[in-house]
Amino acid sequence: MVRKIIIGLFLNIVAFLSTAQQYPQFSQRMLDEIVFNPAIIGTKSIDRIMLHHRSQWVGFDGAPMTQIISYDGYFMDNMGLGGFLMNDITGPTRRLSFNLGYAYQLKFEKVTLSIGLMGTVIQYGIDGNRVTLHESLDPSIYEGVSDRTWKPDVSLGTYIYNDDFFAGIAVIQLFTSRVHLFKNESFEAVIPLIQHFYLTSGYKFHLDEEFDL
């Protein structure tokens, strides 16, 4: 009996402390690197335009769906400028963000260190027409009631690299803002935007004159 109580308390504590990821996930993250670290802007020394679409849990109603269009370029030998537009829909919620970033590269003898900053404006909304309640008296949300609001935010990142190696770390949603919806209704929904940390690293192995891994 005591064992069951301890296990029950442990599971409740874990559930209370757990948080879910708010930022979209991608299968090919290396194709949209600037979405996760603004310091990567301009590090490829070329102009890049990327289009990205991902549908998850295909066949399920309200399954996550994300689209991104991004650009980043390199100029003045040590600067990068870029940005992206992201549309992310999961069930009745939608997150639309406009992002503009800048990166500055410090060149050392063997490596280059890039420091990046991304400014973001997020539109967060809920489409009440896509809400179906199992409990009609749920006080947290109403069917058919929609709302949306805008929030500014910032992302920071660093990225160190050369021809054979790269490593970076970034924090997304630095402000940890709170999204307030349905202010004019009899209830109010408050959604905290949680900080997300991303760590990336890689190394290129030279197998022979023609192949690298």
Side-chain angles (χ1 to χ4, degrees), residues 90-126:
T90 303
T93 66
R94 178 183 181 184
R95 174 192 176 116
L96 177 66
S97 67
F98 301 87
N99 309 266
L100 183 62
Y102 169 83
Y104 185 83
Q105 285 96 42
L106 300 170
K107 299 181 184 296
F108 299 97
E109 182 178 354
K110 294 184 178 181
V111 298
T112 300
L113 173 64
S114 179
I115 302 172
L117 172 69
M118 182 82 73
T120 301
V121 178
I122 305 168
Q123 184 196 74
Y124 199 99
I126 294 180

Side-chain angles (χ1 to χ4, degrees), residues 60-72:
F60 287 86
D61 186 34
M65 182 174 60
T66 307
Q67 300 90 28
I68 290 177
I69 179 170
S70 66
Y71 164 81
D72 75 298

Side-chain angles (χ1 to χ4, degrees), residues 126-160:
I126 294 180
D127 183 358
N129 295 316
R130 303 190 64 183
V131 174
T132 301
L133 299 178
H134 296 285
E135 296 289 340
S136 59
L137 298 179
D138 189 337
S140 61
I141 192 170
Y142 290 160
E143 289 180 313
V145 180
S146 302
D147 195 14
R148 59 186 178 183
T149 189
W150 294 88
K151 281 290 180 180
D153 218 316
V154 166
S155 302
L156 292 174
T158 60
Y159 187 73
I160 187 169

Side-chain angles (χ1 to χ4, degrees), residues 33-52:
E33 300 167 295
I34 70 169
V35 175
F36 301 96
N37 189 339
I40 299 178
I41 294 173
T43 59
K44 307 305 178 184
S45 301
I46 58 173
D47 292 321
R48 300 187 298 173
I49 297 177
M50 298 283 189
L51 297 174
H52 193 130

